[in-house]
């Protein structure tokens, strides 16, 4: 069984900007620092959500929407995010 995660953010094509859109995603394949995902949500607007947080069922940050390849979405893992923060000397609390 593949894990279900949630992306929350505004699409560039979203007409109702009062609230962010929640997109339900199911992890399809683990590519190390990236995950391929299938979109389970109906009537969602996926375009323009790059950079949106991806959380698990407990509300923990597990990744960032990175884009798409073909029909699959791509999310960068938290390890990828931490690597980018380190690479650009951006400080963060490593042990909350």
């Amino acid at each position: 069984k593949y894990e279900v995660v949630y992306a929350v953010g505004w699409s560039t094509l979203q007409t109702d900007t009062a609230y962010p859109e929640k997109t339900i995603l199911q992890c399809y394949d683990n590519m190390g620092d990236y995950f391929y995902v299938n979109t389970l949500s109906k009537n969602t607007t996926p375009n323009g959500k790059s950079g949106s947080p991806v959380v698990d069922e407990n509300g923990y940050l597990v990744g960032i929407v990175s884009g798409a390849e073909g029909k699959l979405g791509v999310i960068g893992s938290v390890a990828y995010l931490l690597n980018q923060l380190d690479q650009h000397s951006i400080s963060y609390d490593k042990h909350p």
Side-chain angles (χ1 to χ4, degrees), residues 81-92 94:
L81 174 62
L82 296 177
N83 182 32
Q84 291 299 304
L85 293 173
D86 287 341
Q87 184 177 353
H88 297 286
S89 302
I90 300 170
S91 64
Y92 60 93
K94 294 181 182 183

Side-chain angles (χ1 to χ4, degrees), residues 14 21-23 39-46 49:
Q14 189 176 342
E21 185 176 69
K22 178 178 82 174
T23 305
T39 302
L40 298 180
S41 294
K42 304 290 185 212
N43 301 321
T44 187
T45 312
K49 288 192 179 163

